[in-house]
Amino acid sequence: MRPSPKVVAALVTLPLALAACGGGGGTSTTPAAPSSIASASADHRPVKAGGTLNIALPADPDALDPSISTTLVGREVFANMCEKLYDIDASSTLIPQLAAAMPELSGDGKEVTIKLREGVKFNDGTALDAEAVKKSLDRHRTWEKSARQADLAAVSKVEVVDATTVKLTLTQAFTPLTAQLADRAGMIMSPKALDAGSDNFGASPVCVGPFKFASRTSGSQIVLDKAPDYYDAAKVKLDKLVYKIIVDPNVRAANLKSGDVQVGDQLATNTVKGVQSDPNLTVVSGGGLGYYGFQINIGNANGSTEKPGTVDTALAKSPQLREAFELALDRDAINKTVYNGLHEVDCFPVPLDSPYRPKDLTCPKRDLAKAKQLVQASGVPTPIPVSMATPNDAVNQRLAQVIQSMAKEAGFNVSVQTAEFVSVLEQGKAGKFDVLLSGWSGRVDPDGNLTNLVTTQGSNNYAGMSDPGIDDPIKQAAAETDPAKRAELYGAAMKKAAELRGVVYLYHNKYYLGMHKTVAGVQYFKDGLPRFVTAGFAA
């Protein structure tokens, strides 16, 4: 059945560039980036064939398996070797990728039909067809180890209609589905490689993409070679991508300046100016869909996906103390002190320019007097001990120290515990923390910034929040097609979550990509994933 235009639109996220800007409320926001930092999409120089592009990544990705990966740096590698059913373009509009067209819906929205590109091969030469798509989608949604189960929870069945058509049956209408299929839940893996690798697919992943996996040295580098079987191989100019793991932001910037790498990913904001000043380098900006802040463990007693329980800390027991902790913080000062004012200050998870963000959302300014009053009224002896888990990179440690200093003025004694990034994530999942610095790279549909992160037993709901005032409107919004009604529902959920303060949001991440001026054709959008399909060295 061909859907009405209204039903089709329900699965297509509005371009963020066309959306009215949502109010930031009581918190002023600093500029996202200097006007001199351009978008990569403005670069249309021709590129020559051949060459190896060396890219510095700020962390070592987790398993290169789309079903279980949870890191942004993993998504960056996938962006060039594991294509999805859908993708986004420069205006954050959803577009077909391995699908041949946008999905068609039945009248009630519970049947979704997806036509596939024809003549597409995986990077091992096997053909992509509807059976392969079904195999990957079923693995994503049913494998017990999969982190995609929540993304595809509304899908009850995947059927092969014919060789180039799959039909998804849903338990209820689910508007964000296309956006989910534009991320890892929509990545299609070679069935041959899945059969050979089983649970260890990530050791030698095979997908459809402009580049194919060649090798990985843990903690050091990941190498991708140009894929000869790629359906659009004529667009691909580079012979090889080498992702080098360089955690220290100063070393990352230095390697960019020396020419050891030609692209520096996620430049630390305190290195952006130095890179810009180099006549051989340029900086482009992307990102903005995600956020960063910290989670306060208020109910994660046995693991984020388990039933919430009692957590025996002062912050967990007292909403007033959590409010005091937030009121002790000055987001604008944090942005300027830690990030040179290069992020977008906010206290909610949905971007400021999202069409799904109500304009009445407001953020509290720092109010140290009120914070002290709340601490005193709690009756808890000061200084109140708080343990903060943070990744061990220099920027996160700096952020933790600034929070520590501000919170101290209100009567909190914050001790900072550092660990490797992946270890911090494991602490979060297990609930082994008081406060944990964490972020989210962001999705074009607001459901992707909320459902799995603040709803009951969501795998990334490290805080252990559980409240029908959050769960119910988010669930209702996912089944709603009217953007205005969705915005109203998401607004209600975000206001309730702001009251509980299981997550305290500080800003929306802007990402800065440093490149040698000889590099051209890089695509860098609001999802912060550098795409090198058309990249190369300027002719």
Side-chain angles (χ1 to χ4, degrees), residues 48 94 296 308 503:
K48 57 189 177 184
L94 290 162
I296 300 175
V503 185

Side-chain angles (χ1 to χ4, degrees), residues 346-433:
D346 195 19
C347 62
F348 292 99
V350 173
L352 294 164
D353 59 357
S354 170
Y356 300 107
R357 178 183 173 122
K359 293 183 173 60
D360 65 348
L361 296 182
T362 59
C363 296
K365 280 188 170 294
R366 190 186 199 211
D367 190 338
L368 188 57
K370 185 176 180 181
K372 289 180 176 179
Q373 289 172 4
L374 289 168
V375 168
Q376 185 176 15
S378 74
V380 178
T382 58
I384 299 169
V386 175
S387 176
M388 174 173 283
T390 175
N392 61 359
D393 62 276
V395 177
N396 270 301
Q397 290 186 58
R398 175 63 173 150
L399 172 59
Q401 290 164 359
V402 172
I403 292 173
Q404 180 186 52
S405 177
M406 290 179 174
K408 183 178 181 179
E409 295 182 64
F412 296 96
N413 180 25
V414 178
S415 61
V416 178
Q417 310 296 326
T418 63
E420 293 289 336
F421 172 63
V422 174
S423 297
V424 173
L425 292 182
E426 291 303 320
Q427 283 181 259
K429 291 174 185 176
K432 305 298 184 183
F433 69 96

Side-chain angles (χ1 to χ4, degrees), residues 12 28 46 48 50 76 104 128 153 204 217 238 285 299 364 410 447 525 534:
V12 183
S28 62
K48 57 189 177 184
E76 293 182 45
E104 297 185 358
L128 178 138
S204 187
T217 304
L238 290 165
S285 64
D447 184 84
F525 304 151
T534 58

Side-chain angles (χ1 to χ4, degrees), residues 232-410:
D232 213 355
K235 278 187 179 180
V236 185
K237 303 302 182 183
L238 290 165
D239 294 327
K240 192 184 298 287
L241 301 180
V242 179
Y243 291 95
K244 297 187 176 182
I245 315 306
I246 305 176
V247 176
D248 188 301
N250 295 311
V251 176
R252 204 156 59 247
N255 281 22
L256 183 63
K257 291 178 180 181
S258 70
D260 287 347
V261 299
Q262 293 81 49
V263 176
D265 178 52
Q266 293 186 47
L267 293 179
T269 50
N270 64 351
T271 66
V272 168
K273 186 175 181 180
V275 172
Q276 278 187 296
S277 67
D278 190 310
N280 298 313
L281 304 176
T282 187
V283 178
V284 294
S285 64
L289 296 177
Y291 60 77
Y292 207 80
F294 54 87
Q295 301 204 40
I296 300 175
N297 189 352
I298 64 174
N300 184 358
N302 302 298
S304 59
T305 59
E306 301 299 319
K307 185 178 178 180
T310 301
V311 176
D312 189 22
T313 64
L315 286 180
K317 293 175 180 177
S318 173
Q320 291 74 26
L321 284 180
R322 297 197 294 274
E323 181 181 3
F325 198 89
E326 179 179 14
L327 289 175
L329 306 181
D330 185 331
R331 288 177 171 84
D332 284 309
I334 289 171
N335 189 28
K336 291 171 184 174
T337 302
V338 183
Y339 306 106
N340 289 354
L342 291 178
H343 289 317
E344 292 176 316
V345 171
D346 195 19
C347 62
F348 292 99
V350 173
L352 294 164
D353 59 357
S354 170
Y356 300 107
R357 178 183 173 122
K359 293 183 173 60
D360 65 348
L361 296 182
T362 59
C363 296
K365 280 188 170 294
R366 190 186 199 211
D367 190 338
L368 188 57
K370 185 176 180 181
K372 289 180 176 179
Q373 289 172 4
L374 289 168
V375 168
Q376 185 176 15
S378 74
V380 178
T382 58
I384 299 169
V386 175
S387 176
M388 174 173 283
T390 175
N392 61 359
D393 62 276
V395 177
N396 270 301
Q397 290 186 58
R398 175 63 173 150
L399 172 59
Q401 290 164 359
V402 172
I403 292 173
Q404 180 186 52
S405 177
M406 290 179 174
K408 183 178 181 179
E409 295 182 64

Side-chain angles (χ1 to χ4, degrees), residues 79-364:
N80 297 290
M81 75 169 193
C82 279
E83 291 197 345
K84 305 149 292 190
L85 291 170
Y86 299 95
D87 198 11
I88 66 167
D89 63 13
S91 64
S92 296
T93 301
L94 290 162
I95 57 173
Q97 192 171 57
L98 294 179
M102 298 307 290
E104 297 185 358
L105 276 68
S106 60
D108 62 4
K110 292 183 179 181
E111 289 187 352
V112 181
T113 301
I114 299 173
K115 296 290 293 184
L116 305 174
R117 281 180 180 266
E118 297 187 33
V120 174
K121 291 182 179 180
F122 290 100
N123 287 338
D124 58 7
T126 59
L128 178 138
D129 57 16
E131 289 285 357
V133 172
K134 172 178 167 56
K135 189 179 185 74
S136 284
L137 294 182
D138 283 344
R139 183 179 190 259
H140 288 323
R141 68 187 187 86
T142 65
W143 183 29
E144 66 275 7
K145 295 181 181 179
S146 175
R148 311 278 82 83
Q149 291 183 56
D151 301 340
L152 299 176
V155 180
S156 62
K157 183 167 60 174
V158 180
E159 296 177 90
V160 172
V161 176
D162 57 42
T164 59
T165 312
V166 293
K167 183 173 73 173
L168 280 59
T169 301
L170 312 184
T171 54
Q172 62 180 41
F174 185 59
T175 302
L177 180 62
T178 309
Q180 299 287 21
L181 296 176
D183 195 17
R184 286 165 295 201
M187 290 181 188
I188 309 304
M189 299 162 281
S190 162
K192 179 180 176 181
L194 282 174
D195 289 341
S198 186
D199 289 8
N200 202 31
F201 173 85
S204 187
V206 181
C207 304
V208 175
F211 298 91
K212 64 178 183 177
F213 179 82
S215 65
R216 178 175 189 173
T217 304
S218 181
S220 177
Q221 67 178 27
I222 296 168
V223 179
L224 308 183
D225 291 336
K226 181 177 179 179
D229 292 311
Y230 184 54
Y231 61 87
D232 213 355
K235 278 187 179 180
V236 185
K237 303 302 182 183
L238 290 165
D239 294 327
K240 192 184 298 287
L241 301 180
V242 179
Y243 291 95
K244 297 187 176 182
I245 315 306
I246 305 176
V247 176
D248 188 301
N250 295 311
V251 176
R252 204 156 59 247
N255 281 22
L256 183 63
K257 291 178 180 181
S258 70
D260 287 347
V261 299
Q262 293 81 49
V263 176
D265 178 52
Q266 293 186 47
L267 293 179
T269 50
N270 64 351
T271 66
V272 168
K273 186 175 181 180
V275 172
Q276 278 187 296
S277 67
D278 190 310
N280 298 313
L281 304 176
T282 187
V283 178
V284 294
S285 64
L289 296 177
Y291 60 77
Y292 207 80
F294 54 87
Q295 301 204 40
I296 300 175
N297 189 352
I298 64 174
N300 184 358
N302 302 298
S304 59
T305 59
E306 301 299 319
K307 185 178 178 180
T310 301
V311 176
D312 189 22
T313 64
L315 286 180
K317 293 175 180 177
S318 173
Q320 291 74 26
L321 284 180
R322 297 197 294 274
E323 181 181 3
F325 198 89
E326 179 179 14
L327 289 175
L329 306 181
D330 185 331
R331 288 177 171 84
D332 284 309
I334 289 171
N335 189 28
K336 291 171 184 174
T337 302
V338 183
Y339 306 106
N340 289 354
L342 291 178
H343 289 317
E344 292 176 316
V345 171
D346 195 19
C347 62
F348 292 99
V350 173
L352 294 164
D353 59 357
S354 170
Y356 300 107
R357 178 183 173 122
K359 293 183 173 60
D360 65 348
L361 296 182
T362 59
C363 296

